[in-house]
Each structure stands twice: as C-alpha cells, then as structure tokens.
Amino acid sequence: MTDAARAAAPFLVAVCNHKGGVAKTTTCLNLALGLAAGGQSVAVADFDSLGTATRALGAGRARFGSYEVLTGRCPLDEVLHPSPQAGVWVVAATANLHLAEVEHEVIGLDARRLRARLGASGRLDTLLIDCPPSLGVIAVNLITAADLVLVPVPPTAYARDALARTLDIIAACRNGRGGPAPRILITMADPDDPAVGAAIERLRQDHRDQVYPTVIPFDRRNEILAADGRILLAAAPDSPTAAAYLHATLALMRDQRRLRPPAVPARPAPAALAPPTPPVVEIA
C-alpha cells in the first residue's frame, strides 16, 4: 500500500484479549457509536464467529461479511451493511467464519495482504475490529495489520494474568513492525468491590501511559441490550457507563490524530462527545 493509499484508508483498531468475558464486543459497539457521534463514518468488523456484534448491529441475516474479506472473495466496501445507528456500519460474522482458521487461504495469509483488504475502503474513517477470543491465525494477522491495538481488561487478578499473556502475543506479532504500544481500557469495574481500586492502581503502575485514564463501570444491562440488538450508549446515554465510553472514545480519537493525522478529518467534537457533567466517576 502506498503512503497516499494508507492515508486515505480507514484507521484500523484491533480490539482483542486472550481472555473471554472482558467486554471486548461491548467496547467495540460503544466506541463505534461514540466515534459516529464525533462525526466519523465507522464500521465494526466482526471476526468473532459467535457474531454478537453482528446481531447487535442488525446484520444477522447478512450473506457476506468478514469471512469473505478475510479470504479475498469480496472487497470491504461490498460487505458494509448499514446498522440502525447513524454513521455505523457492520462487516458481519457470517456462517463460514468458524471454518476460516483451517482454510489454506487464511493459513497462508500475511498481515500485509490482510491490511490491504481491510484498508480498501474510501467510505470509512475508522474500522473497529472485534477479534476472535482465541489468538490464533486470524487474530494474529489482525493484530499485526492494525494501526492500533486496544485491550479491554477487567480489574481482577485473573484478567491481569491474561493481560500479560495478551501483551506478550501482541509484542511477538508486531516485532519489527514498529508502531504504538497497545492501549489498555479498564472495563467491568465494580465500584462496590474493595479490591477493585487496588487492582486498577496496579494496572496503572505496571503499564503507565498505555492505560486509558477512564474506567468503564460494570453495567449488567450491556449483555441484555446487545442480545436485543441495542447498545448502551444509545439506549442509556445518561448512564455512568455510557459517559465513560464517551471519554474512552475521546482518548481513542486523540490517538488517531497523533498516529494518522491525514486519516481522520479534524472535526470539532459535537456536544454529544463533550465530557459529561458531572464528570465520570473514576474508581481510585
């Protein structure tokens, strides 16, 4: 890909974690709505064969999607399905995605070719990639191809151990490629758990500037809403968790402007993305 083509291509954000149940898909969905509220054209590319993001964005009946892009059968722009959310598209997880790991085309795929396939769009500012939960061939190539890797992690001991493994895998994938260090977003934080504050402080001490400052509070409505094809940021925009995701969106947009200035148009953030008042309650 030439420098000019790279500048015109969407900014690729791979959202991944070696551990499941960390709000990976929830993070993709809410960041997508936040970026759209900020004036961007954004798509969620669902590479998780469970297809949760696909259903939440109303593309459960799509015939073509991420599998076809992955295998080179369809260009990205031809599999962009509009969602009910303004400015948000979805690249659906279709029926054959679970077979992709064993296909010759995918086994032999390299990150350079995958990046070219994911970047072949003149319609998007950002492509949020919902990676599969197991870090196999597909996830490794997605991580390597991305402009930025975002790792959601709950503030628990088990999740912290999984984070260390995930960061090791990311470092191995991107060895020699350069680029920014992965960003870490603390999710599913329970403010009533006395151990949470200490866990958050430990994550910040261990990873410093890699950790986004905003903590996403736990909200049990997320899974219920997603199963019903709804997203928290749209369904409950005044909730603390929605406000936290708006703050996380602003942090991501700052990274975009720093890493790929030509790729994301400089637009002033509308009122929908202004920091809420009162400010998000941080868990210290």
Side-chain angles (χ1 to χ4, degrees):
M1 185 182 292
T2 66
D3 289 342
R6 188 181 299 277
F11 187 81
L12 306 181
V13 182
V15 183
C16 70
N17 194 310
H18 181 62
K19 186 180 184 301
V22 297
K24 175 177 62 68
T25 298
T26 296
T27 293
C28 277
L29 294 170
N30 284 283
L31 289 179
L33 265 65
L35 290 169
Q40 292 194 26
S41 177
V42 56
V44 175
D46 192 353
F47 283 91
D48 187 337
S49 60
L50 293 176
T52 305
T54 297
R55 292 190 299 275
L57 291 171
R61 296 178 180 271
R63 292 180 58 201
F64 304 109
S66 56
Y67 169 80
E68 285 71 26
V69 174
L70 186 67
T71 56
R73 288 173 169 87
C74 289
L76 182 68
D77 276 348
E78 289 187 11
V79 299
L80 289 177
H81 298 273
S83 82
Q85 309 297 331
V88 179
W89 303 77
V90 57
V91 181
T94 47
N96 290 327
L97 183 60
H98 71 289
L99 300 173
E101 291 272 2
V102 297
E103 283 204 21
H104 177 74
E105 169 64 25
V106 175
I107 293 171
L109 186 64
D110 61 55
R112 179 185 55 80
R113 280 194 294 152
L114 179 56
R115 181 179 177 85
R117 291 172 184 176
L118 294 173
S121 174
R123 300 164 63 180
L124 299 174
D125 297 310
T126 302
L127 184 68
L128 291 167
I129 303 166
D130 190 4
C131 291
S134 59
L135 297 184
V137 173
I138 296 174
V140 163
N141 278 309
L142 291 168
I143 289 167
T144 310
D147 293 298
L148 183 71
V149 180
L150 177 63
V151 185
V153 57
T156 67
Y158 292 122
R160 194 167 63 245
D161 291 342
L163 172 63
R165 297 188 185 96
T166 301
L167 294 177
D168 284 345
I169 292 169
I170 293 170
C173 291
R174 296 172 72 85
N175 183 32
R177 184 189 181 283
R183 298 292 184 259
I184 297 165
L185 178 64
I186 299 172
T187 59
M188 303 174 69
D190 182 357
D192 297 323
D193 185 339
V196 164
I200 291 172
E201 183 59 29
R202 177 69 181 273
L203 284 167
R204 286 176 170 159
Q205 287 177 356
D206 289 347
H207 303 288
R208 300 186 181 276
D209 292 343
Q210 287 180 251
V211 183
Y212 278 162
T214 297
V215 173
I216 309 297
F218 176 74
D219 194 320
R220 62 183 68 252
R221 289 175 294 180
N222 268 314
E223 289 186 8
I224 298 170
L225 289 168
D228 193 33
R230 301 167 70 200
I231 301 168
L232 187 73
L233 201 55
D238 296 328
S239 67
T241 301
Y245 270 119
L246 286 179
H247 278 273
T249 301
L250 289 168
L252 176 58
M253 292 173 76
R254 285 192 291 270
D255 273 335
Q256 286 179 300
R257 288 193 292 270
R258 181 175 61 84
L259 296 169
R260 290 265 306 277
V264 180
R267 300 183 178 105
L273 273 187
T277 304
V280 133
V281 176
E282 300 283 1
I283 304 174

mmCIF file with all atom_site columns, all heavy atoms in Angstrom, residues 256-271:
data_model
loop_
_atom_site.group_PDB
_atom_site.id
_atom_site.type_symbol
_atom_site.label_atom_id
_atom_site.label_alt_id
_atom_site.label_comp_id
_atom_site.label_asym_id
_atom_site.label_entity_id
_atom_site.label_seq_id
_atom_site.pdbx_PDB_ins_code
_atom_site.Cartn_x
_atom_site.Cartn_y
_atom_site.Cartn_z
_atom_site.occupancy
_atom_site.B_iso_or_equiv
_atom_site.pdbx_formal_charge
_atom_site.auth_seq_id
_atom_site.auth_comp_id
_atom_site.auth_asym_id
_atom_site.auth_atom_id
_atom_site.pdbx_PDB_model_num
ATOM 1   N N   . GLN A 1 256 ? -5.828  8.640  17.336 1.00 0.00 ? 256 GLN A N   1
ATOM 2   C CA  . GLN A 1 256 ? -5.957  8.694  15.879 1.00 0.00 ? 256 GLN A CA  1
ATOM 3   C C   . GLN A 1 256 ? -5.277  9.935  15.312 1.00 0.00 ? 256 GLN A C   1
ATOM 4   O O   . GLN A 1 256 ? -4.535  9.863  14.327 1.00 0.00 ? 256 GLN A O   1
ATOM 5   C CB  . GLN A 1 256 ? -7.430  8.699  15.479 1.00 0.00 ? 256 GLN A CB  1
ATOM 6   C CG  . GLN A 1 256 ? -8.128  7.358  15.639 1.00 0.00 ? 256 GLN A CG  1
ATOM 7   C CD  . GLN A 1 256 ? -9.583  7.470  15.247 1.00 0.00 ? 256 GLN A CD  1
ATOM 8   O OE1 . GLN A 1 256 ? -10.319 8.242  15.836 1.00 0.00 ? 256 GLN A OE1 1
ATOM 9   N NE2 . GLN A 1 256 ? -9.988  6.716  14.259 1.00 0.00 ? 256 GLN A NE2 1
ATOM 10  N N   . ARG A 1 257 ? -5.559  11.075 15.901 1.00 0.00 ? 257 ARG A N   1
ATOM 11  C CA  . ARG A 1 257 ? -4.980  12.324 15.385 1.00 0.00 ? 257 ARG A CA  1
ATOM 12  C C   . ARG A 1 257 ? -3.458  12.309 15.505 1.00 0.00 ? 257 ARG A C   1
ATOM 13  O O   . ARG A 1 257 ? -2.752  12.848 14.657 1.00 0.00 ? 257 ARG A O   1
ATOM 14  C CB  . ARG A 1 257 ? -5.572  13.518 16.136 1.00 0.00 ? 257 ARG A CB  1
ATOM 15  C CG  . ARG A 1 257 ? -7.023  13.815 15.768 1.00 0.00 ? 257 ARG A CG  1
ATOM 16  C CD  . ARG A 1 257 ? -7.455  15.167 16.292 1.00 0.00 ? 257 ARG A CD  1
ATOM 17  N NE  . ARG A 1 257 ? -7.535  15.196 17.741 1.00 0.00 ? 257 ARG A NE  1
ATOM 18  C CZ  . ARG A 1 257 ? -8.628  14.896 18.435 1.00 0.00 ? 257 ARG A CZ  1
ATOM 19  N NH1 . ARG A 1 257 ? -9.738  14.539 17.815 1.00 0.00 ? 257 ARG A NH1 1
ATOM 20  N NH2 . ARG A 1 257 ? -8.623  14.967 19.748 1.00 0.00 ? 257 ARG A NH2 1
ATOM 21  N N   . ARG A 1 258 ? -2.955  11.669 16.563 1.00 0.00 ? 258 ARG A N   1
ATOM 22  C CA  . ARG A 1 258 ? -1.499  11.618 16.767 1.00 0.00 ? 258 ARG A CA  1
ATOM 23  C C   . ARG A 1 258 ? -0.830  10.643 15.801 1.00 0.00 ? 258 ARG A C   1
ATOM 24  O O   . ARG A 1 258 ? 0.247   10.917 15.270 1.00 0.00 ? 258 ARG A O   1
ATOM 25  C CB  . ARG A 1 258 ? -1.210  11.199 18.222 1.00 0.00 ? 258 ARG A CB  1
ATOM 26  C CG  . ARG A 1 258 ? 0.268   11.132 18.563 1.00 0.00 ? 258 ARG A CG  1
ATOM 27  C CD  . ARG A 1 258 ? 0.450   10.823 20.030 1.00 0.00 ? 258 ARG A CD  1
ATOM 28  N NE  . ARG A 1 258 ? -0.119  9.541  20.383 1.00 0.00 ? 258 ARG A NE  1
ATOM 29  C CZ  . ARG A 1 258 ? 0.518   8.375  20.225 1.00 0.00 ? 258 ARG A CZ  1
ATOM 30  N NH1 . ARG A 1 258 ? 1.729   8.346  19.714 1.00 0.00 ? 258 ARG A NH1 1
ATOM 31  N NH2 . ARG A 1 258 ? -0.051  7.253  20.597 1.00 0.00 ? 258 ARG A NH2 1
ATOM 32  N N   . LEU A 1 259 ? -1.486  9.510  15.554 1.00 0.00 ? 259 LEU A N   1
ATOM 33  C CA  . LEU A 1 259 ? -0.853  8.447  14.772 1.00 0.00 ? 259 LEU A CA  1
ATOM 34  C C   . LEU A 1 259 ? -1.087  8.568  13.276 1.00 0.00 ? 259 LEU A C   1
ATOM 35  O O   . LEU A 1 259 ? -0.230  8.204  12.482 1.00 0.00 ? 259 LEU A O   1
ATOM 36  C CB  . LEU A 1 259 ? -1.367  7.081  15.253 1.00 0.00 ? 259 LEU A CB  1
ATOM 37  C CG  . LEU A 1 259 ? -1.007  6.717  16.683 1.00 0.00 ? 259 LEU A CG  1
ATOM 38  C CD1 . LEU A 1 259 ? -1.789  5.487  17.142 1.00 0.00 ? 259 LEU A CD1 1
ATOM 39  C CD2 . LEU A 1 259 ? 0.490   6.471  16.803 1.00 0.00 ? 259 LEU A CD2 1
ATOM 40  N N   . ARG A 1 260 ? -2.273  9.049  12.886 1.00 0.00 ? 260 ARG A N   1
ATOM 41  C CA  . ARG A 1 260 ? -2.594  9.113  11.469 1.00 0.00 ? 260 ARG A CA  1
ATOM 42  C C   . ARG A 1 260 ? -3.315  10.430 11.157 1.00 0.00 ? 260 ARG A C   1
ATOM 43  O O   . ARG A 1 260 ? -4.500  10.432 10.832 1.00 0.00 ? 260 ARG A O   1
ATOM 44  C CB  . ARG A 1 260 ? -3.501  7.939  11.070 1.00 0.00 ? 260 ARG A CB  1
ATOM 45  C CG  . ARG A 1 260 ? -2.851  6.586  11.083 1.00 0.00 ? 260 ARG A CG  1
ATOM 46  C CD  . ARG A 1 260 ? -2.331  6.201  9.714  1.00 0.00 ? 260 ARG A CD  1
ATOM 47  N NE  . ARG A 1 260 ? -3.335  6.282  8.688  1.00 0.00 ? 260 ARG A NE  1
ATOM 48  C CZ  . ARG A 1 260 ? -4.241  5.319  8.425  1.00 0.00 ? 260 ARG A CZ  1
ATOM 49  N NH1 . ARG A 1 260 ? -4.253  4.202  9.132  1.00 0.00 ? 260 ARG A NH1 1
ATOM 50  N NH2 . ARG A 1 260 ? -5.123  5.467  7.459  1.00 0.00 ? 260 ARG A NH2 1
ATOM 51  N N   . PRO A 1 261 ? -2.631  11.564 11.261 1.00 0.00 ? 261 PRO A N   1
ATOM 52  C CA  . PRO A 1 261 ? -3.311  12.843 11.055 1.00 0.00 ? 261 PRO A CA  1
ATOM 53  C C   . PRO A 1 261 ? -4.102  12.940 9.759  1.00 0.00 ? 261 PRO A C   1
ATOM 54  O O   . PRO A 1 261 ? -5.214  13.462 9.766  1.00 0.00 ? 261 PRO A O   1
ATOM 55  C CB  . PRO A 1 261 ? -2.152  13.859 11.083 1.00 0.00 ? 261 PRO A CB  1
ATOM 56  C CG  . PRO A 1 261 ? -1.085  13.192 11.886 1.00 0.00 ? 261 PRO A CG  1
ATOM 57  C CD  . PRO A 1 261 ? -1.211  11.725 11.582 1.00 0.00 ? 261 PRO A CD  1
ATOM 58  N N   . PRO A 1 262 ? -3.608  12.426 8.601  1.00 0.00 ? 262 PRO A N   1
ATOM 59  C CA  . PRO A 1 262 ? -4.401  12.568 7.375  1.00 0.00 ? 262 PRO A CA  1
ATOM 60  C C   . PRO A 1 262 ? -5.599  11.641 7.323  1.00 0.00 ? 262 PRO A C   1
ATOM 61  O O   . PRO A 1 262 ? -6.494  11.833 6.528  1.00 0.00 ? 262 PRO A O   1
ATOM 62  C CB  . PRO A 1 262 ? -3.401  12.195 6.257  1.00 0.00 ? 262 PRO A CB  1
ATOM 63  C CG  . PRO A 1 262 ? -2.061  12.146 6.894  1.00 0.00 ? 262 PRO A CG  1
ATOM 64  C CD  . PRO A 1 262 ? -2.304  11.827 8.322  1.00 0.00 ? 262 PRO A CD  1
ATOM 65  N N   . ALA A 1 263 ? -5.590  10.568 8.151  1.00 0.00 ? 263 ALA A N   1
ATOM 66  C CA  . ALA A 1 263 ? -6.607  9.532  8.009  1.00 0.00 ? 263 ALA A CA  1
ATOM 67  C C   . ALA A 1 263 ? -7.940  9.933  8.608  1.00 0.00 ? 263 ALA A C   1
ATOM 68  O O   . ALA A 1 263 ? -8.983  9.489  8.166  1.00 0.00 ? 263 ALA A O   1
ATOM 69  C CB  . ALA A 1 263 ? -6.126  8.246  8.662  1.00 0.00 ? 263 ALA A CB  1
ATOM 70  N N   . VAL A 1 264 ? -7.926  10.740 9.646  1.00 0.00 ? 264 VAL A N   1
ATOM 71  C CA  . VAL A 1 264 ? -9.160  11.103 10.329 1.00 0.00 ? 264 VAL A CA  1
ATOM 72  C C   . VAL A 1 264 ? -9.358  12.597 10.233 1.00 0.00 ? 264 VAL A C   1
ATOM 73  O O   . VAL A 1 264 ? -8.545  13.368 10.748 1.00 0.00 ? 264 VAL A O   1
ATOM 74  C CB  . VAL A 1 264 ? -9.121  10.666 11.817 1.00 0.00 ? 264 VAL A CB  1
ATOM 75  C CG1 . VAL A 1 264 ? -10.417 11.049 12.510 1.00 0.00 ? 264 VAL A CG1 1
ATOM 76  C CG2 . VAL A 1 264 ? -8.875  9.174  11.920 1.00 0.00 ? 264 VAL A CG2 1
ATOM 77  N N   . PRO A 1 265 ? -10.387 13.070 9.552  1.00 0.00 ? 265 PRO A N   1
ATOM 78  C CA  . PRO A 1 265 ? -10.584 14.513 9.396  1.00 0.00 ? 265 PRO A CA  1
ATOM 79  C C   . PRO A 1 265 ? -10.656 15.210 10.749 1.00 0.00 ? 265 PRO A C   1
ATOM 80  O O   . PRO A 1 265 ? -11.239 14.684 11.701 1.00 0.00 ? 265 PRO A O   1
ATOM 81  C CB  . PRO A 1 265 ? -11.933 14.605 8.657  1.00 0.00 ? 265 PRO A CB  1
ATOM 82  C CG  . PRO A 1 265 ? -12.133 13.261 8.028  1.00 0.00 ? 265 PRO A CG  1
ATOM 83  C CD  . PRO A 1 265 ? -11.441 12.279 8.925  1.00 0.00 ? 265 PRO A CD  1
ATOM 84  N N   . ALA A 1 266 ? -10.031 16.373 10.817 1.00 0.00 ? 266 ALA A N   1
ATOM 85  C CA  . ALA A 1 266 ? -10.068 17.140 12.066 1.00 0.00 ? 266 ALA A CA  1
ATOM 86  C C   . ALA A 1 266 ? -11.408 17.840 12.169 1.00 0.00 ? 266 ALA A C   1
ATOM 87  O O   . ALA A 1 266 ? -11.645 18.869 11.564 1.00 0.00 ? 266 ALA A O   1
ATOM 88  C CB  . ALA A 1 266 ? -8.928  18.150 12.097 1.00 0.00 ? 266 ALA A CB  1
ATOM 89  N N   . ARG A 1 267 ? -12.314 17.249 12.928 1.00 0.00 ? 267 ARG A N   1
ATOM 90  C CA  . ARG A 1 267 ? -13.638 17.837 13.124 1.00 0.00 ? 267 ARG A CA  1
ATOM 91  C C   . ARG A 1 267 ? -13.795 18.186 14.600 1.00 0.00 ? 267 ARG A C   1
ATOM 92  O O   . ARG A 1 267 ? -13.412 17.408 15.458 1.00 0.00 ? 267 ARG A O   1
ATOM 93  C CB  . ARG A 1 267 ? -14.741 16.844 12.747 1.00 0.00 ? 267 ARG A CB  1
ATOM 94  C CG  . ARG A 1 267 ? -14.722 16.376 11.310 1.00 0.00 ? 267 ARG A CG  1
ATOM 95  C CD  . ARG A 1 267 ? -15.922 15.467 11.082 1.00 0.00 ? 267 ARG A CD  1
ATOM 96  N NE  . ARG A 1 267 ? -16.006 15.014 9.708  1.00 0.00 ? 267 ARG A NE  1
ATOM 97  C CZ  . ARG A 1 267 ? -15.683 13.801 9.324  1.00 0.00 ? 267 ARG A CZ  1
ATOM 98  N NH1 . ARG A 1 267 ? -15.241 12.937 10.195 1.00 0.00 ? 267 ARG A NH1 1
ATOM 99  N NH2 . ARG A 1 267 ? -15.807 13.449 8.053  1.00 0.00 ? 267 ARG A NH2 1
ATOM 100 N N   . PRO A 1 268 ? -14.351 19.311 14.933 1.00 0.00 ? 268 PRO A N   1
ATOM 101 C CA  . PRO A 1 268 ? -14.591 19.594 16.344 1.00 0.00 ? 268 PRO A CA  1
ATOM 102 C C   . PRO A 1 268 ? -15.593 18.607 16.913 1.00 0.00 ? 268 PRO A C   1
ATOM 103 O O   . PRO A 1 268 ? -16.545 18.215 16.245 1.00 0.00 ? 268 PRO A O   1
ATOM 104 C CB  . PRO A 1 268 ? -15.166 21.023 16.330 1.00 0.00 ? 268 PRO A CB  1
ATOM 105 C CG  . PRO A 1 268 ? -15.708 21.196 14.943 1.00 0.00 ? 268 PRO A CG  1
ATOM 106 C CD  . PRO A 1 268 ? -14.839 20.373 14.039 1.00 0.00 ? 268 PRO A CD  1
ATOM 107 N N   . ALA A 1 269 ? -15.348 18.153 18.135 1.00 0.00 ? 269 ALA A N   1
ATOM 108 C CA  . ALA A 1 269 ? -16.273 17.213 18.762 1.00 0.00 ? 269 ALA A CA  1
ATOM 109 C C   . ALA A 1 269 ? -17.594 17.901 19.055 1.00 0.00 ? 269 ALA A C   1
ATOM 110 O O   . ALA A 1 269 ? -17.626 18.983 19.634 1.00 0.00 ? 269 ALA A O   1
ATOM 111 C CB  . ALA A 1 269 ? -15.671 16.676 20.068 1.00 0.00 ? 269 ALA A CB  1
ATOM 112 N N   . PRO A 1 270 ? -18.730 17.298 18.648 1.00 0.00 ? 270 PRO A N   1
ATOM 113 C CA  . PRO A 1 270 ? -20.029 17.897 18.935 1.00 0.00 ? 270 PRO A CA  1
ATOM 114 C C   . PRO A 1 270 ? -20.373 17.774 20.406 1.00 0.00 ? 270 PRO A C   1
ATOM 115 O O   . PRO A 1 270 ? -19.665 17.132 21.178 1.00 0.00 ? 270 PRO A O   1
ATOM 116 C CB  . PRO A 1 270 ? -20.990 17.070 18.075 1.00 0.00 ? 270 PRO A CB  1
ATOM 117 C CG  . PRO A 1 270 ? -20.306 15.760 17.920 1.00 0.00 ? 270 PRO A CG  1
ATOM 118 C CD  . PRO A 1 270 ? -18.843 16.048 17.907 1.00 0.00 ? 270 PRO A CD  1
ATOM 119 N N   . ALA A 1 271 ? -21.485 18.376 20.772 1.00 0.00 ? 271 ALA A N   1
ATOM 120 C CA  . ALA A 1 271 ? -21.889 18.356 22.183 1.00 0.00 ? 271 ALA A CA  1
ATOM 121 C C   . ALA A 1 271 ? -22.034 16.937 22.693 1.00 0.00 ? 271 ALA A C   1
ATOM 122 O O   . ALA A 1 271 ? -21.790 16.659 23.860 1.00 0.00 ? 271 ALA A O   1
ATOM 123 C CB  . ALA A 1 271 ? -23.202 19.117 22.349 1.00 0.00 ? 271 ALA A CB  1
#
